[in-house]
Amino acid sequence: MSDFAELHFGGEVYKLPVVEGTENEKALDISKLRGQSGLITIDPGYKNTGSTESAITFLDGEKGILRYRGYPIEQLAEKSSFLEVAYLIIYGELPNTEELKKWEREITYHTLIHEDFKVLLEGFPSNAHPMGVLSSCVTALTAFYPDSLDPVRSKNEVRISIVRLMAKLPTLASWAYKNEIGQPLLYPKNDMDYCSSFLRMMFATPAEDFKPDPVVVAALNTLLILHADHEQNCSTSTVRIVGSSHASLYASVSAGINALWGPLHGGANQAVIEMLEAIKADGGDADKYLAKAKDKDDPFRLMGFGHRVYKNFDPRARIIKKAADDVLGKLGVNDPILDIAKKLEEAALSDPYFVERKLYPNVDFYSGIIYRALGIPTNMFTVMFALGRLPGWIGQWKEMRENNEPIGRPRQVYTGYNERNYTDLSKR
Ligand code: CMC
């Protein structure tokens, strides 16, 4: 034991080994503490708990650093494609030309969805939220590919499940949308790149010769890269914990989609736009809503502000803010809610409540604004986040299985009744 901390409790001294990461982050290993001392640790929301050792993503919330497999997010967002980044996250290295070609070819080859899926889609009411439809469809993939249920045995099954999921999620996402608006479903067009084919399936009609605006394609590529992984957040931890029971990749990712849906996580991008629209409809008074956000008796929170780990700035938000200005300028979009967003941002950044609590705009404050400019409907925003986060969920699931991690099973401190006797119904 090279480095350790001592815990003094009940007259005994317990040595807790220190684990150190490659960026010199230090953690106390308490995995044997209960066996030695009877003590567990408690940390609601896992605010200070490392659930795993991972080699995928490094982030430093104080310095605003985010790197995938060592590569700074700024460089990847500027220079790479989403599929290249997906390969990096899942397999650990940037692909060479051959590997990238093969990866793109395989993903293009598997984009079709079994026709029986249409029956499944028809079963949903037309106003179903596309996130619910998407997570159901991803679970349903297990029925179409039963081999994927036992991916532990064969590396090839893991590989093909990864390719299928990467390939089919854009098709499923666009079908969830088309089903909602009652338009015919479009099939993927395999001579188009990943983002262009998705945009076509979202916005074209079957008869149309659709060519997406390159500005829109580039913006989508950047947005997907920025969302591709974010270490042990709520949805990724969900994917890992579901996968730790040896549930299939599809079942685990479906659980991740549901976790992402909540407004405190990926659902924030939809909530930001709904909030900005509500402020606009209410006369555009940003100060009124700032006051509401600060009022402890009011449940209102400024959506798109604050982050569990970023306490100075969110590096993704910096890139995306610049991208938003760029895209809106190039597309000639003049969106009144953008002015409200800017007012809100300025006011919050100089307000002591937000400054003291280190609450800064996060990635979702701006992503909704770009998605809106790209013509993506508001209730599809979180689906877009899911498309981007998919490589992260896959990479983290794969790492967890390859490291043979134990089933996730936290402890608790029980605060209920002590033992008491059953009372007959007549006496209650
Ligand atoms: N508006 C007003 N007050 C806030 C906000 C906000 N958006 N966020 C945090 N606070 C206050 C909170 O009331 C608390 O104040 P006090 O110390 O007086 O009780 C303090 O700041 C700390 O908040 P917390 O809830 O303990 O912080 P957390 O780390 O548990 O929560 C968060 C992080 C992201 C859930 C939270 O900041 C939030 O609800 N933000 C709005 C939702 C949002 O934009 N989520 C997207 C996150 S980025 C996308 C992703 O990666 O998922």
Side-chain angles (χ1 to χ4, degrees):
M1 203 185 300
S2 58
D3 204 2
F4 60 86
E6 282 183 352
L7 173 71
H8 296 245
F9 178 74
E12 300 285 337
V13 180
Y14 302 100
K15 286 189 171 174
L16 304 175
V18 173
V19 178
E20 190 167 348
T22 49
E23 291 285 344
N24 308 321
E25 287 179 310
K26 290 190 172 65
L28 296 180
D29 178 354
I30 52 102
S31 57
K32 296 200 171 58
L33 182 63
R34 186 171 176 277
Q36 293 167 343
S37 67
L39 287 170
I40 64 162
T41 55
I42 187 157
D43 180 20
Y46 311 120
K47 289 193 175 200
N48 198 45
T49 293
S51 59
T52 189
E53 291 178 35
S54 176
I56 300 176
T57 290
F58 172 69
L59 73 82
D60 182 327
E62 271 68 37
K63 295 191 186 131
I65 293 172
L66 173 62
R67 298 182 202 133
Y68 301 153
R69 303 278 188 189
Y71 295 102
I73 188 68
E74 292 79 6
Q75 292 180 21
L76 294 169
E78 189 190 332
K79 296 181 179 163
S80 63
S81 73
F82 175 61
L83 283 189
E84 205 182 344
V85 169
Y87 186 98
L88 170 72
I89 287 174
I90 296 169
Y91 295 109
E93 294 294 343
L94 283 169
N96 63 27
T97 314
E98 262 317 292
E99 288 163 338
L100 184 61
K101 259 195 200 153
K102 184 171 176 239
W103 174 238
E104 287 175 342
R105 198 170 46 240
E106 279 192 314
I107 287 179
T108 307
Y109 183 77
H110 286 279
T111 45
L112 273 180
I113 303 291
H114 195 291
E115 287 292 298
D116 285 355
F117 254 96
K118 291 182 175 172
V119 182
L120 190 72
L121 278 173
E122 277 164 18
F124 286 98
S126 57
N127 61 351
H129 195 289
M131 280 297 274
V133 177
L134 191 68
S135 73
S136 307
C137 287
V138 171
T139 304
L141 285 173
T142 55
F144 291 86
Y145 303 103
D147 287 355
S148 67
L149 289 173
D150 188 14
V152 192
R153 291 208 187 133
S154 145
K155 273 196 167 173
N156 195 41
E157 277 306 328
V158 172
R159 195 191 57 80
I160 195 71
S161 294
I162 290 173
V163 167
R164 283 196 180 117
L165 198 47
M166 282 297 301
K168 292 180 199 305
L169 204 68
T171 315
L172 287 173
S174 69
W175 281 18
Y177 172 59
K178 286 287 192 192
N179 189 58
E180 185 199 355
I181 58 171
Q183 283 188 7
L185 309 177
L186 262 73
Y187 293 101
K189 204 159 182 306
N190 291 345
D191 58 354
M192 282 181 152
D193 64 84
Y194 197 78
C195 292
S196 301
S197 174
F198 170 71
L199 289 166
R200 184 184 151 273
M201 288 189 285
M202 282 286 291
F203 297 122
T205 58
E208 205 177 342
D209 183 18
F210 180 87
K211 290 212 172 45
D213 186 331
V215 173
V216 175
V217 177
L220 181 57
N221 185 59
T222 308
L223 281 162
L224 295 182
I225 290 173
L226 293 180
H227 285 90
D229 193 47
H230 214 233
E231 50 118 301
Q232 308 312 318
N233 55 81
C234 176
S235 58
T236 303
S237 300
T238 300
V239 169
R240 283 185 91 122
I241 206 160
V242 172
S244 76
S245 75
H246 295 195
S248 75
L249 175 64
Y250 301 145
S252 307
V253 166
S254 171
I257 294 173
N258 284 317
L260 185 75
W261 194 355
L264 297 191
H265 190 12
N269 55 16
Q270 174 172 344
V272 167
I273 294 297
E274 285 167 353
M275 173 188 79
L276 294 174
E277 271 171 349
I279 299 176
K280 180 173 157 260
D282 192 25
D285 185 355
D287 291 337
K288 178 173 161 188
Y289 283 83
L290 274 186
K292 271 166 76 65
K294 294 191 286 185
D295 181 354
K296 288 286 155 215
D297 297 325
D298 190 329
F300 176 79
R301 278 192 168 196
L302 214 52
M303 298 316 287
F305 270 77
H307 199 276
R308 170 60 61 79
V309 285
Y310 292 125
K311 300 300 176 193
N312 268 323
F313 66 94
D314 179 340
R316 303 166 302 169
R318 275 203 176 160
I319 301 171
I320 220 168
K321 187 180 180 190
K322 201 177 153 292
D325 287 341
D326 197 32
V327 169
L328 267 65
K330 280 185 185 154
L331 296 178
V333 173
N334 195 3
D335 192 339
I337 67 160
L338 194 62
D339 297 332
I340 296 174
K342 280 185 179 152
K343 257 206 288 194
L344 212 51
E345 187 189 345
E346 271 166 34
L349 289 178
S350 57
D351 188 301
Y353 174 95
F354 289 88
V355 175
E356 277 159 22
R357 288 168 182 76
K358 303 190 170 187
L359 301 170
Y360 298 88
N362 58 52
V363 68
D364 283 331
F365 191 68
Y366 306 104
S367 66
I369 292 171
I370 304 196
Y371 284 136
R372 199 168 133 106
L374 302 189
I376 309 274
T378 313
N379 68 356
M380 281 292 288
F381 288 1
T382 315
V383 170
M384 303 306 296
F385 193 154
L387 284 182
R389 184 53 53 87
L390 183 61
W393 290 331
I394 294 174
Q396 300 267 354
W397 179 92
K398 183 168 165 284
E399 179 181 69
M400 183 261 316
R401 296 308 320 274
E402 285 171 355
N403 291 349
N404 218 1
E405 290 188 12
I407 185 167
R409 204 311 184 179
R411 293 271 173 174
Q412 64 164 17
V413 173
Y414 174 68
T415 59
Y417 288 107
N418 294 116
E419 184 178 1
R420 49 188 184 154
N421 288 323
Y422 178 81
T423 37
D424 289 335
L425 194 56
S426 59
K427 294 193 181 133
R428 277 178 245 153

